């Protein structure tokens, strides 16, 4: 080694390369450390003067660190190379060992700086020896590594690393000198074991997965990769094995297979059950296929059931969220009037079917609301069945059928009705989806929110501030940027409180104007707003004060508002429905205009335009400068203006070029 050691750091990330160089300066004040930002720069630097050690990141753009190592060794011979990577994995570790790297360090470990200095110091120390460096790399690899003597009787292990000890529970002293079969047990796959034996006999590589056992007798799925190691004469002297615990993946795959088998069994059973039904399901299926609207589906299904023995009357209805009641929207074999069944005051089969999502059967004697049901039907009945119309998480009301046969609604018939209910709900869902795409009617829901788990409630209460929703934008990293005007004399305190909340990844003040500021909150993919978005809810307004908070949500008329309300109220303790309104959407198609414009804009252009608008950049005098807006996006001022001008040009073009 030269008096002044030369170390070449290869990393395209400027900050990370500088950090690596700083760590290595502790090796000695006289160390000459050079940084190359690419593999080409590295090869040029080595061509000028071969360094005493190369420290390389794995991901270098078009070439990897291991590929760079191969080129260096091919051109310059034995140059010590340490792979120090932020992108480590089991596969990278295996390839590093195979490539004969002098050191392997993963940055995400807590003591990576010390281990990097140790590896480089060992490379610079001529007395340490390359073999010791290799052994350290093997010892600290994240996968279990074993080496067996191919020429000794029964191929005993001559080396196991620390990961193998942690994986199996067997100490190195126990494993050395034994064949690796001590990991096998009664559930170990004989075919996998034979495949490894055949590969060893043929002096070839093999990869299998089989059950092995730890020292404590616990089963685990082990992915075993074995490969021959040859000497300079091409003779196999050893076998190296890589062992990885894949129990979680195998269990997940088997669970998925089991579930698929159960679904296949259930589907086969259902098909067999439907095959035994004489007419009703077949006729209903045809009626559902022929119906294109929800009203048509309800009318056809009730007609078919009322005309099919043993049923005398059938009706379908959907609960009214405003007063928690239900009345038939389609009925055959009876009549409907304005007298609704109050669900909140009833524990009868209709209310239970809606609540539980399961078919409910009751006799007339069991009905506390018998008078209401008798008023619906034209003739006498002895029993009724209430069938919930449920498709996935969406609830489309209940189908109720009546019969004068006291023994008709047995377990078999209930199963048939349950299947029929799922069929009807599926057809209604398809019809609702078609209507949703072209719906002009919308539903407005107003929620009262008093749950500190919702970030704007927590911020308003803790900061004694008032927050008003101003708009939002989705980003490439799946976060949601939400803009609020904040009435507070200390917007920085609002930001500090918000950043302590679990749902807020970051917050920043965009503009400040005499007690009213514009603040942007970066929100993750959880919480109240994400739950509403999952069900198609469009948040139109949020008003949060220390005393009260309301959230206004807009849904297509056919989007099953009850399902949205039920799921939101169950997920958040302090959220309740305050108002339910239906109205006609304005004739102007603003949504189409916005959608067309957003298709034209890139994410950066849309973000630049929104921040300029919400930051009053288009006002005069401007309270916000281009520098401020560029800084809020983390880009240069010139780059920001390029995005903004491109967005403005597309916006104007969309306005004037539209037919």
């Amino acid at each position: 080694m030269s008096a002044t050691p030369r170390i070449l750091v290869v990393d395209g990330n400027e900050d990370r390369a500088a950090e690596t160089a700083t760590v290595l300066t502790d090796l000695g004040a006289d160390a000459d450390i050079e940084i190359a930002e690419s593999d080409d720069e590295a090869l040029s630097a080595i061509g000028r003067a071969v360094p005493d050690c190369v420290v390389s990141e794995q991901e270098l753009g078009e070439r990897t660190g291991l590929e760079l190592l191969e080129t260096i060794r091919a051109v310059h011979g034995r140059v010590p190379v340490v792979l120090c990577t932020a992108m480590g994995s089991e596969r990278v570790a295996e390839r590093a060992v195979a490539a004969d790297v002098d050191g392997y360090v993963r940055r995400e470990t807590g003591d990576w700086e010390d281990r990097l200095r140790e590896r480089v110091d060992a490379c610079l120390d001529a007395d340490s020896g390359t073999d010791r460096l290799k052994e350290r790399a093997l010892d600290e690899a994240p996968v279990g590594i074993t080496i067996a003597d191919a020429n000794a009787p029964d191929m005993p292990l001559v080396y196991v690393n620390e990961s193998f000890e942690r994986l199996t529970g067997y100490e190195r002293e126990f494993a050395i000198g034994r064949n690796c079969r001590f990991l096998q047990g009664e559930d170990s796959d004989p075919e996998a074991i034979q495949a490894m034996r055949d590969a060893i006999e043929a002096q070839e590589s093999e990869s299998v997965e089989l059950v092995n056992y730890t020292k404590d007798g616990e089963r685990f799925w082990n992915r075993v990769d074995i490969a021959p190691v040859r000497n300079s004469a091409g003779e196999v002297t050893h076998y190296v094995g890589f062992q990885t615990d894949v129990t979680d993946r195998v269990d997940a795959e088997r669970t998925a297979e089991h579930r698929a088998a159960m679904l296949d069994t259930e589907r086969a059973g259902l098909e067999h059950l439907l095959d035994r039904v004489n007419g009703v399901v077949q006729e209903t299926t045809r009626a559902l296929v022929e119906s294109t609207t929800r009203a048509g589906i309800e009318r056809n299904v009730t007609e078919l059931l009322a005309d099919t023995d043993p049923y005398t009357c059938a009706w379908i209805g959907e609960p009214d969220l405003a007063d928690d009641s239900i009345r038939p929207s389609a009925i055959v074999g009876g009549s409907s009037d304005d007298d609704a069944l109050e669900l909140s005051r009833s524990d009868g089969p209709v209310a239970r079917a809606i609540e539980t999502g399961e078919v409910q059967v009751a006799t007339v004697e069991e009905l506390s609301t018998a008078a209401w049901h008798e008023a619906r039907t034209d003739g006498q009945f002895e029993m009724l069945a209430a069938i919930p119309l449920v498709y996935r998480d969406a609830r489309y009301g209940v189908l109720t059928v009546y019969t004068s046969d006291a023994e008709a609604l047995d377990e078999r018939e209930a199963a048939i009705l349950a299947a029929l209910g799922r069929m009807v709900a599926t057809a209604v869902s398809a019809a609702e989806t078609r209507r949703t795409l072209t719906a002009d009617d919308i539903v407005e829901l107003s929620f009262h929110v008093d749950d500190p788990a919702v970030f704007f409630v927590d911020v308003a209460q803790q900061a004694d501030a008032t927050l008003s929703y101003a708009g939002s934008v989705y980003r490439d990293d799946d976060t949601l940027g939400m803009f609020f005007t904040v009435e507070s004399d200390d917007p920085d305190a609002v930001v500090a409180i918000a950043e302590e909340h679990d749902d807020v990844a970051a917050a920043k003040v965009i503009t400040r104007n005499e007690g009213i500021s514009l603040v942007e909150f970066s929100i993750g993919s959880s919480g109240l707003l994400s739950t509403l978005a999952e069900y198609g809810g469009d948040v139109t307004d949020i008003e949060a004060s220390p005393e009260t908070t309301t959230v206004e949500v807009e849904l297509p008329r056919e989007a099953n508002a009850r399902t949205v309300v039920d799921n939101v109220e169950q997920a958040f303790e302090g959220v309740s429905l305050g108002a339910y309104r239906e109205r006609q959407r304005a004739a102007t198609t603003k949504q189409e205009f916005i959608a067309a414009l957003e298709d034209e804009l890139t994410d950066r252009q849309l973000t630049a335009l929104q921040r300029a608008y919400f930051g009053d950049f288009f006002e005069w005098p401007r309270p916000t400068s281009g520098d401020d807006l560029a800084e809020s996006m983390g880009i240069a001022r010139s780059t920001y203006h390029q995005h903004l001008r491109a967005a403005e040009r597309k916006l104007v073009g969309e306005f004037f070029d539209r037919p």
Side-chain angles (χ1 to χ4, degrees):
M1 186 180 71
S2 60
T4 302
R6 288 187 65 251
I7 303 172
L8 178 62
V9 176
V10 187
D11 196 333
N13 185 303
E14 182 178 348
D15 293 337
R16 194 168 56 209
E19 182 183 24
T20 302
T22 300
V23 171
L24 295 177
T25 55
D26 292 345
L27 289 170
D30 296 328
D32 181 10
I33 299 175
E34 182 179 358
I35 295 176
E37 295 184 355
S38 67
D39 51 343
D40 289 336
E41 286 187 25
L43 293 174
S44 297
I46 297 172
R48 293 192 298 270
V50 178
D52 296 295
C53 183
V54 176
V55 178
S56 177
E57 168 61 44
Q58 168 66 356
E59 297 297 332
L60 300 175
E62 295 183 356
R63 185 178 298 175
T64 67
L66 293 177
E67 290 172 342
L68 176 62
L69 178 147
E70 294 174 358
T71 302
I72 293 173
R73 297 277 171 82
V75 177
H76 300 285
R78 183 68 195 188
V79 178
V81 176
V82 175
L83 194 67
C84 180
T85 178
M87 305 295 291
S89 67
E90 296 172 359
R91 180 59 180 159
V92 172
E94 294 175 7
R95 292 178 57 199
V97 172
D100 201 22
V101 71
D102 297 275
Y104 176 76
V105 178
R106 296 179 68 175
R107 284 180 177 268
E108 59 264 42
T109 58
D111 59 343
W112 73 271
E113 297 95 339
D114 293 335
R115 293 194 297 108
L116 176 60
R117 284 192 288 266
E118 289 177 3
R119 301 299 174 272
V120 175
D121 187 45
C123 290
L124 299 178
D125 185 357
D127 296 331
S128 67
T130 302
D131 291 340
R132 185 157 60 89
L133 290 176
K134 293 179 183 177
E135 186 170 344
R136 285 181 177 176
L138 291 172
D139 275 344
E140 299 187 16
V143 297
I145 299 177
T146 60
I147 299 177
D149 188 343
N151 296 320
D154 205 28
M155 291 187 63
L157 298 177
V158 297
Y159 169 82
V160 299
N161 71 345
E162 295 175 2
S163 291
F164 177 87
E165 293 181 287
R166 290 192 296 269
L167 174 65
T168 66
Y170 288 102
E171 297 180 354
R172 187 171 302 182
E173 290 76 10
F174 175 87
I176 298 299
R178 287 181 168 84
N179 186 285
C180 203
R181 71 173 67 91
F182 62 81
L183 296 177
Q184 299 169 12
E186 60 179 355
D187 290 338
S188 299
D189 185 2
E191 293 183 3
I193 296 171
Q194 188 60 47
M196 289 190 288
R197 290 174 180 167
D198 293 343
I200 293 172
E201 183 70 23
Q203 297 187 342
E204 297 174 346
S205 300
E206 182 60 86
S207 179
V208 299
E209 291 182 358
L210 75 164
V211 171
N212 279 165
Y213 294 82
T214 67
K215 182 180 179 181
D216 295 333
E218 295 184 6
R219 298 169 75 258
F220 71 97
W221 278 93
N222 193 6
R223 191 191 74 199
V224 182
D225 301 284
I226 60 174
V229 179
R230 304 177 186 273
N231 60 18
S232 58
E235 300 169 337
V236 175
T237 61
H238 296 82
Y239 255 87
V240 62
F242 299 96
Q243 313 204 25
T244 308
D245 187 345
V246 294
T247 303
D248 290 344
R249 177 179 60 76
V250 173
D251 287 348
E253 290 174 351
R254 296 202 165 191
T255 298
E257 291 172 358
H258 178 66
R259 289 177 178 173
M262 289 180 62
L263 289 174
D264 289 342
T265 301
E266 181 181 350
R267 187 179 300 109
L270 179 59
E271 290 173 353
H272 178 67
L273 179 61
L274 295 180
D275 287 341
R276 294 191 295 107
V277 177
N278 185 19
V280 60
V281 173
Q282 292 87 342
E283 292 297 325
T284 302
T285 301
R286 280 197 291 270
L288 294 177
V289 171
E290 294 170 358
S291 303
T292 59
T293 66
R294 179 171 183 174
I297 291 170
E298 294 179 352
R299 181 179 61 254
N300 289 345
V301 168
T302 52
E303 285 179 354
L304 282 169
L305 289 176
D307 292 339
T308 302
D309 289 335
Y311 309 117
T312 58
C313 175
W315 61 265
I316 291 177
E318 185 174 11
D320 188 332
L321 291 176
D323 57 10
D324 199 22
S325 65
I326 191 170
R327 55 173 53 84
S329 55
I331 185 169
V332 176
S335 61
S336 177
D337 54 31
D338 293 334
D339 185 16
L341 176 62
E342 296 184 11
L343 298 173
S344 59
R345 299 183 181 180
S346 169
D347 62 351
V350 175
R352 290 198 302 272
I354 295 171
E355 181 67 25
T356 65
E358 298 177 354
V359 174
Q360 302 293 319
V361 177
T363 65
V364 66
E365 291 81 8
E366 296 171 336
L367 293 173
S368 60
T369 55
W372 186 90
H373 289 281
E374 289 170 348
R376 303 285 79 72
T377 61
D378 291 341
Q380 296 293 322
F381 71 93
E382 295 294 331
M383 299 186 72
L384 68 80
I387 305 102
L389 304 181
V390 179
Y391 176 72
R392 295 183 178 175
D393 289 336
R395 301 184 180 187
Y396 296 104
V398 64
L399 165 64
T400 304
V401 294
Y402 301 82
T403 177
S404 57
D405 185 349
E407 298 180 355
L409 293 175
D410 57 13
E411 183 177 347
R412 172 182 173 276
E413 196 70 14
I416 295 171
L417 291 173
L420 188 147
R422 290 194 292 271
M423 294 168 59
V424 173
T426 302
V428 171
S429 176
E432 298 287 71
T433 300
R434 288 193 296 269
R435 287 201 59 185
T436 298
L437 296 175
T438 58
D440 291 328
D441 295 330
I442 60 173
V443 172
E444 293 178 333
L445 304 178
S446 178
F447 290 97
H448 295 304
V449 184
D450 188 23
D451 188 347
V454 180
F455 83 91
F456 43 80
V457 175
D458 188 34
V459 171
Q461 291 177 352
Q462 287 200 55
D464 194 25
T466 299
L467 285 70
S468 299
Y469 181 59
S472 59
V473 58
Y474 282 96
R475 300 197 181 89
D476 293 338
D477 59 359
D478 292 332
T479 60
L480 174 66
M482 299 191 68
F483 298 89
F484 283 83
T485 57
V486 177
E487 295 184 25
S488 173
D489 294 331
D490 189 1
D492 293 323
V494 172
V495 168
I497 292 171
E499 289 182 334
E500 293 295 323
H501 199 281
D502 292 341
D503 289 347
V504 179
K508 65 175 66 176
V509 178
I510 304 300
T511 62
R512 305 169 188 264
N513 295 312
E514 297 183 0
I516 299 180
S517 304
L518 180 67
V519 179
E520 179 184 7
F521 302 89
S522 296
I523 310 302
S525 58
S526 62
L528 173 63
L529 302 182
S530 295
T531 301
L532 289 169
E534 288 176 2
Y535 293 97
D538 182 17
V539 176
T540 58
D541 189 38
I542 301 173
E543 294 292 332
S545 70
E547 295 79 23
T548 61
T549 296
T550 58
V551 176
E552 301 287 339
V553 182
E554 189 176 278
L555 295 167
R557 172 64 183 87
E558 309 299 341
N560 202 292
R562 182 182 182 86
T563 300
V564 177
V565 174
D566 287 348
N567 282 278
V568 169
E569 290 183 342
Q570 290 175 12
F572 300 91
E573 293 183 359
V575 178
S576 60
L577 181 65
Y580 173 93
R581 298 179 293 271
E582 298 179 8
R583 68 176 177 86
Q584 190 79 16
R585 191 189 300 275
T588 178
T589 57
K590 177 181 178 182
Q591 289 79 5
E592 294 179 0
F593 178 83
I594 293 174
L597 179 60
E598 288 181 341
D599 286 342
E600 291 293 325
L601 296 175
T602 67
D603 291 341
R604 286 280 187 166
Q605 291 167 0
L606 179 59
T607 300
L609 189 62
Q610 287 180 314
R611 294 200 180 197
Y613 179 79
F614 293 130
D616 293 334
F617 183 71
F618 300 110
E619 302 296 328
W620 189 261
R622 291 173 175 167
T624 305
S625 69
D627 289 332
D628 295 333
L629 297 173
E631 182 180 357
S632 71
M633 289 181 64
I635 58 178
R637 182 176 182 273
S638 59
T639 303
Y640 173 80
H641 280 289
Q642 289 176 3
H643 290 313
L644 181 60
R645 291 303 297 272
E648 291 171 338
R649 183 170 59 254
K650 291 178 180 179
L651 173 61
V652 174
E654 187 69 15
F655 181 84
F656 286 106
D657 294 339
R658 292 180 63 80

